[in-house]
Amino acid sequence: MTKYTVKAGDSVFGPRGVPHAFSKLGDGVGRMLTTFQPAGKMEECFIAISQGQMKGKPEAEQDAFRKQHGFERVGPPIDILKAL
């Protein structure tokens, strides 16, 4: 596993098919710009999420939704405090 700690203006490239995760460390607002090339079904996915279609859905339904849009959750949730 490779971990990157980045600051404002840094970039990290994640090739397609490589499992990955991200977490914000520290106080204040965090912003991240993510691009997809080709976008595939991601735009459709983000539109549905922004419209609240996944709010309150059980995990199994969320996982099925992810798979419909070409990605899946892998591994347990990130517990960043264990890494510190």
Side-chain angles (χ1 to χ4, degrees):
M1 172 176 31
T2 303
K3 292 183 182 183
Y4 299 93
T5 301
V6 298
K7 60 186 182 314
D10 287 349
S11 297
V12 176
F13 173 72
R16 183 184 336 205
V18 176
H20 61 278
F22 51 86
S23 180
K24 179 190 149 320
L25 300 175
D27 297 326
V29 174
R31 294 193 176 124
M32 180 174 71
L33 176 65
T34 304
T35 59
F36 297 89
Q37 181 60 33
K41 298 179 182 178
M42 291 307 296
E43 184 175 7
E44 176 185 307
C45 174
F46 291 138
I47 290 170
I49 291 171
S50 71
Q51 293 171 343
Q53 293 180 23
M54 296 312 298
K55 188 173 185 175
K57 302 287 184 184
E59 285 191 27
E61 195 169 331
Q62 291 179 35
D63 288 341
F65 174 83
R66 288 181 185 96
K67 284 188 179 188
Q68 290 171 357
H69 292 90
F71 66 104
E72 63 184 293
R73 175 176 29 193
V74 294
I78 296 172
D79 187 349
I80 194 62
L81 297 178
K82 288 182 181 177
L84 299 177

